[in-house]
């Protein structure tokens, strides 16, 4: 790790993380609140011999990503909610063709044009597969500028490890706030990446075909079984933050910025003697199911807090089913939460026992 | 008598029967593309982008590295490929439903950016694979399954002339329309594809060749009558020629 810390926005940390991780192709289309990313990369990418294309739409930028990914190059696109909806076609094709690429969604309010403020309304879309067909993408949810950097940095390795799209689900809060970030030593470009599948021009070998069309009898079934096994193997990547959960009676489950804000509330309530803790999933797929279930087995109770009408709470309830349930508090998009906003709901859940 | 081989299959073309209908000219065009790849020595460094439609399976016949694009997005996928791998030779192969309808934005912008790619555009005036529905290139009066009374200018607009439209864009180095209805036009098609490939190899800009071709099945005509339709009906509506050649300007 280089000694010098840099003071940057979450969005800029994503751009820097991608550059340092060896990303050399970026495709994007302007949408608030993530414009700092393409703006930074429009000069930074060409400066190191990479490619920056402002695409004509998110449809095109995600398909450019598909093309670059097929060549085994580290590539990324970024957007926010309405733009990510347009990318779903290509994301499904990438999952079907097993292409690695990084897609960032700085979640804003919806549905429709919504607003440009923070929200977690795209949880289902990200985690359950927003495009057509049975597929999953790895989903990473940063809560700080450092995590914006680190998770973006690591997303490329994960994409290549599993030959699969990796989503970073940030939000307007984490994208727009500024914090010190410790960058890592930049990774050298790996010429061997994807050596056995990427398109290079066939040379002397047999041609390679990267496709998602499987028409022969049983061919698609075989491919989908293979994909399912791959998605199951992603369990190895589960990440989460557990804060003061050991002796907690009530555990708040929250991700991204909301997890960060809820942590402040938990800290304050702890100081006042309430036995509360925080569990913050960092991978939303794979979801830290076993870990939550283990906590339920220890008799903990749960309160899921989200910046939406209730989406991740489904996964929490699935994780603890048969043992416990989870209360839910949804902070409505269109407003910015503070730690005080979560005080009453947490106290109520503690009393609810 | 000693036999002498005077005409052979290019090695890059698979020695298999195609899935195309009798009289369909996708096969002829595949062959011309294959010949051009071999003659330029490009087979080993080519990355093809296949589109949606009857020709999606081009990768079963033209044996080069290939990635499949979603419907209409081949020019965006090809942009990503070329940007990632500048030393590769990149071509996309698209039908008229693919390129002129759902993929209109992608083709216009890739052309306008002057992406160093070559696009082979097969215009058979219908959606072939899905069963002969109206395409943006369907001609006035032409009956399809979704304009059973014939395409009507007032109701559906007229056929789009893609070669003329693409030629107006700044990044385009070469843009032509040809046909494959007779030997002369096939030879002209080959010259056009060669020139389009050359613009990529010379880093001149975007290369585009629109090729008028048959779809006997959906036209409900015999292969011979389909071929005749190209000369009699299509060429008058879609004139053949070179609409832009950067090398010849100035
Ligand atoms: C998003 C999407 N919409 C529709 C389709 C269905 N579809 C498959 S092929 C095709 C038409 C292709 O027609 P054309 O490009 O003219 O090619 P041809 O079959 O005539 O060679 C359509 C609409 C699809 N695959 N994807
Ligand atoms: S449907 Fe038309 S375009 Fe498709 S293979 Fe048959 S003749 Fe060719």
């Amino acid at each position: 790790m280089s000694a010098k810390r840099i003071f940057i926005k979450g969005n800029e940390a994503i751009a820097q993380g991608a550059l340092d991780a060896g990303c050399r192709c970026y495709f994007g289309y302007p949408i608030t609140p993530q414009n700092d990313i393409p703006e930074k990369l429009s000069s930074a990418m060409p400066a190191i011999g990479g490619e920056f294309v402002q695409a004509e739409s998110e449809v095109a930028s995600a398909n450019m990503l598909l093309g670059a990914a097929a060549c085994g190059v580290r590539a990324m696109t970024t957007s926010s909610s309405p733009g990510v909806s347009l990318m779903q076609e290509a994301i499904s094709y990438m999952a079907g063709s097993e292409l690695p690429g990084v897609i960032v969604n700085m979640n804003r309010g919806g549905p429709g044009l919504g607003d440009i403020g923070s929200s977690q309304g795209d949880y289902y879309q990200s985690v359950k597969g927003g495009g057509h067909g049975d597929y999953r993408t790895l989903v990473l949810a940063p809560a700080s500028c450092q995590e914006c950097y680190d998770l973006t940095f690591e997303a490329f390795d994960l994409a290549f490890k599993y030959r699969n799209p990796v989503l970073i689900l940030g939000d307007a809060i984490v994208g727009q706030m500024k914090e010190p970030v410790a960058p890592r030593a930049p990774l050298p470009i790996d010429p061997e990446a994807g050596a056995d599948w990427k398109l290079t021009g066939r040379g002397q070998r047999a041609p390679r075909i990267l496709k998602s069309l499987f028409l022969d009898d049983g061919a698609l079934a075989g491919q989908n079984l293979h994909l399912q096994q791959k998605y199951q193997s992603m369990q190895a990547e589960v990440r989460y933050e557990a804060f003061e959960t050991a002796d907690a009676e009530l555990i708040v489950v929250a991700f991204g910025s909301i997890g960060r804000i809820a942590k402040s509330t938990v800290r304050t309530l702890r100081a006042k003697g309430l036995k509360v803790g925080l569990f913050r999933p960092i991978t939303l797929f794979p979801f830290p199911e076993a870990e939550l279930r283990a906590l339920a087995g220890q008799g903990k109770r749960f309160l899921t807090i989200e910046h939406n009408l209730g989406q991740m709470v489904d996964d929490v309830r699935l994780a603890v089913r048969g043992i416990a349930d989870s209360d839910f508090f949804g902070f409505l998009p269109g407003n910015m939460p503070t730690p005080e906003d979560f005080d009453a709901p947490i106290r109520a859940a503690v009393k609810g026992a | 008598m000693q036999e002498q081989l005077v005409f052979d299959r290019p090695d890059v073309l698979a020695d298999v029967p195609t899935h195309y209908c009798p009289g369909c000219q996708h096969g002829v065009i595949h062959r011309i593309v294959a010949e051009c790849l071999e003659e330029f020595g490009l087979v080993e460094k080519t990355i093809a982008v296949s589109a949606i439609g009857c020709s999606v399976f081009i990768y079963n016949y033209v044996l080069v590295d290939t990635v499949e694009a979603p419907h209409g997005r081949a020019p965006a996928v090809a942009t990503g490929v070329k940007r990632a791998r500048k030393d590769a030779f990149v071509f996309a192969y698209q039908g008229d439903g693919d390129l002129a309808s759902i993929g209109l934005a992608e083709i216009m912008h890739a052309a306008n950016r002057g992406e160093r790619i070559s696009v082979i555009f097969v215009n058979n005036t219908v959606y072939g694979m899905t069963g002969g529905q109206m395409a943006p290139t369907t001609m006035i009066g032409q009956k399809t399954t979704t304009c059973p009374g014939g395409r009507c200018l007032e109701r559906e607009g007229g056929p789009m002339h893609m070669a003329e439209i693409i030629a107006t864009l700044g990044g385009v180095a070469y843009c032509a329309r040809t046909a494959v209805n007779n030997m002369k036009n096939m030879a002209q098609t080959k010259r056009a594809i060669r020139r389009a490939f050359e613009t990529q190899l010379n880093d001149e800009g975007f290369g585009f060749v629109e090729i008028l071709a048959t779809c006997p099945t959906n036209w409900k005509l015999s292969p011979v009558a389909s071929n005749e339709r190209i000369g009699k009906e299509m060429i008058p509506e879609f004139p053949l020629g070179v609409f832009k050649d950067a090398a010849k300007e100035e």
Side-chain angles (χ1 to χ4, degrees):
Chain A
M1 193 180 286
S2 56
K4 217 171 159 154
R5 294 204 296 171
I6 46 182
F7 189 58
I8 51 176
K9 279 178 153 184
N11 282 338
E12 295 165 326
I14 287 171
Q16 192 60 47
L19 289 167
D20 292 348
C23 176
R24 288 298 177 270
C25 284
Y26 173 87
F27 312 102
Y29 186 85
I31 184 168
T32 307
Q34 59 83 55
N35 291 323
D36 317 271
I37 306 175
E39 283 169 3
K40 179 175 166 81
L41 292 176
S42 65
S43 52
M45 200 56 102
I48 54 168
E51 290 290 318
F52 170 90
V53 181
Q54 180 168 323
E56 60 271 28
S57 67
E58 291 85 353
V59 172
S61 48
N63 280 286
M64 290 174 188
L65 175 71
L66 186 159
C71 298
V73 170
R74 290 187 166 211
M76 177 171 84
T77 185
T78 66
S79 189
S80 181
S81 308
V84 177
S85 291
L86 285 176
M87 293 179 177
Q88 295 301 335
E89 175 193 51
I91 296 172
S92 168
Y93 275 77
M94 289 177 74
S97 311
E98 297 194 79
L99 298 178
V102 175
I103 301 115
V104 177
N105 180 3
M106 301 313 274
N107 201 154
R108 63 185 238 182
L113 201 48
D115 72 7
I116 57 169
S118 204
S119 159
Q120 296 183 326
D122 301 350
Y123 179 90
Y124 280 154
Q125 185 195 57
S126 312
V127 168
K128 309 295 180 188
H132 58 287
D134 257 337
Y135 74 92
R136 291 286 184 272
T137 48
L138 277 147
V139 185
L140 311 173
S144 66
C145 295
Q146 184 68 52
E147 274 188 359
C148 283
Y149 178 89
D150 289 339
L151 294 178
T152 306
F153 192 99
E154 288 160 24
F156 290 91
D157 277 345
L158 290 170
F160 274 76
K161 180 172 174 188
Y162 292 99
R163 267 184 76 178
N164 205 67
V166 175
L167 257 60
I168 294 175
L169 183 60
D171 56 51
I173 298 174
V174 79
Q176 292 300 324
M177 70 190 186
K178 219 167 176 176
E179 292 181 306
V181 169
R184 306 183 184 189
L187 284 180
I189 302 293
D190 175 10
E192 288 304 306
D196 56 347
W197 57 262
K198 70 183 171 190
L199 305 187
T200 57
R202 71 173 215 203
Q204 299 295 315
R205 60 165 166 74
R208 287 175 182 159
I209 301 163
L210 296 174
K211 62 176 181 124
S212 58
L213 179 61
F214 298 90
L215 280 184
D216 294 346
D217 262 0
L220 182 65
Q223 170 70 356
N224 281 5
L225 180 64
H226 158 70
L227 291 179
Q228 192 190 6
Q229 287 162 349
K230 178 166 88 172
Y231 302 148
Q232 278 164 2
S233 73
M234 290 174 182
Q235 284 300 328
E237 310 302 335
V238 161
R239 294 175 195 207
Y240 58 92
E241 177 192 358
F243 175 70
E244 305 267 30
T245 53
D247 67 339
E249 285 158 15
L250 179 91
I251 294 177
V252 175
V253 187
F255 74 96
S257 298
I258 298 302
R260 177 96 172 263
I261 295 167
K263 190 176 176 179
S264 300
T265 322
V266 164
R267 206 181 264 124
T268 308
L269 292 176
R270 271 266 161 192
K272 293 178 180 160
L274 270 74
K275 291 224 160 142
V276 291
L278 174 86
F279 187 93
R280 178 171 68 88
I282 296 174
T283 51
L284 302 182
F285 184 88
F287 193 70
E289 201 179 33
E291 291 72 11
L292 274 173
R293 199 168 174 75
L295 289 169
Q298 295 164 21
K300 317 282 189 196
R301 290 177 299 105
F302 301 93
L303 166 68
T304 304
I305 300 182
E306 295 178 74
H307 204 174
N308 60 36
L309 307 177
Q311 299 189 21
M312 183 179 71
V313 65
D314 288 357
D315 285 331
V316 176
R317 286 180 171 146
L318 272 176
V320 304
R321 69 189 178 282
I323 310 174
D325 195 1
S326 174
D327 289 352
F328 175 70
F329 177 69
F331 192 84
L332 290 175
N335 300 308
M336 270 275 277
T338 63
E340 292 69 41
D341 289 315
F342 300 153
D343 191 277
I346 297 177
R347 284 179 190 274
V350 170
K351 281 205 201 102
Chain B
M1 198 184 90
Q2 178 127 34
E3 289 185 348
Q4 200 196 343
L5 187 66
V6 291
F7 190 65
D8 200 4
R9 178 180 52 79
D11 284 339
V12 70
L13 209 55
D15 188 9
V16 295
T18 69
H19 71 288
Y20 299 111
C21 306
C24 175
Q25 291 170 335
H26 271 306
V28 175
I29 301 167
H30 286 7
R31 186 193 168 97
I32 299 174
V33 169
E35 286 177 359
C36 293
L37 290 177
E38 282 199 354
E39 287 166 20
F40 279 118
L42 293 173
V43 170
E44 294 187 2
K45 57 179 257 182
T46 293
I47 300 178
V49 181
S50 92
I52 301 293
C54 285
S55 61
V56 59
F57 288 119
I58 186 173
Y59 46 69
N60 287 343
Y61 311 122
V62 180
L63 303 176
V64 294
D65 273 9
T66 307
V67 57
E68 206 176 65
H71 194 17
R73 318 299 177 215
V77 173
T79 297
V81 169
K82 188 70 180 189
R83 298 293 184 125
R85 196 164 281 286
K86 292 198 195 52
D87 54 333
F89 178 79
V90 181
F91 80 89
Y93 189 99
Q94 301 183 260
D96 47 81
D98 195 74
L99 181 140
S101 192
I102 187 170
L104 195 56
E106 285 77 10
I107 190 66
M108 297 281 282
H109 287 277
N112 193 53
R113 284 192 303 268
E115 294 295 336
R116 274 32 176 185
I117 59 174
S118 313
V119 174
I120 309 298
F121 169 46
V122 181
N123 178 1
N124 58 17
T125 71
V126 282
Y127 287 71
M129 182 181 253
T130 42
Q133 296 85 3
M134 187 181 71
T137 46
T138 296
M139 290 168 53
I140 300 298
Q142 184 183 340
K143 290 183 175 161
T144 74
T145 57
T146 50
C147 53
R151 184 175 188 164
C152 162
L153 182 66
E154 289 71 32
R155 196 172 50 224
E156 284 114 4
M160 292 184 79
H161 296 79
M162 290 312 301
E164 287 85 340
I165 293 169
I166 296 294
T168 63
L169 300 170
V172 176
Y174 180 75
C175 177
R177 182 184 292 115
T178 66
V180 282
N181 59 327
N182 56 43
M183 287 309 290
K184 178 171 154 276
N185 284 343
M186 285 186 207
Q188 181 50 40
T189 296
K190 186 160 172 189
R191 278 195 292 278
I193 294 179
R194 283 183 62 95
R195 178 70 191 112
F197 283 10
E198 221 171 58
T199 60
Q200 181 177 162
L201 296 171
N202 297 343
D203 202 23
E204 291 171 68
F206 181 86
F208 185 85
V209 183
E210 172 173 346
I211 305 167
L212 305 181
T214 53
C215 180
T217 303
N218 290 306
W219 293 359
K220 303 193 171 28
L221 293 175
S222 71
V224 173
S226 295
N227 210 26
E228 285 168 2
R229 177 180 181 249
I230 293 184
K232 285 202 200 106
E233 295 176 30
M234 284 176 73
I235 293 177
E237 173 70 39
F238 299 106
L240 307 186
V242 176
F243 296 93
K244 184 170 187 185
D245 191 340
K248 301 220 170 88
E249 283 162 17
E250 247 125 284

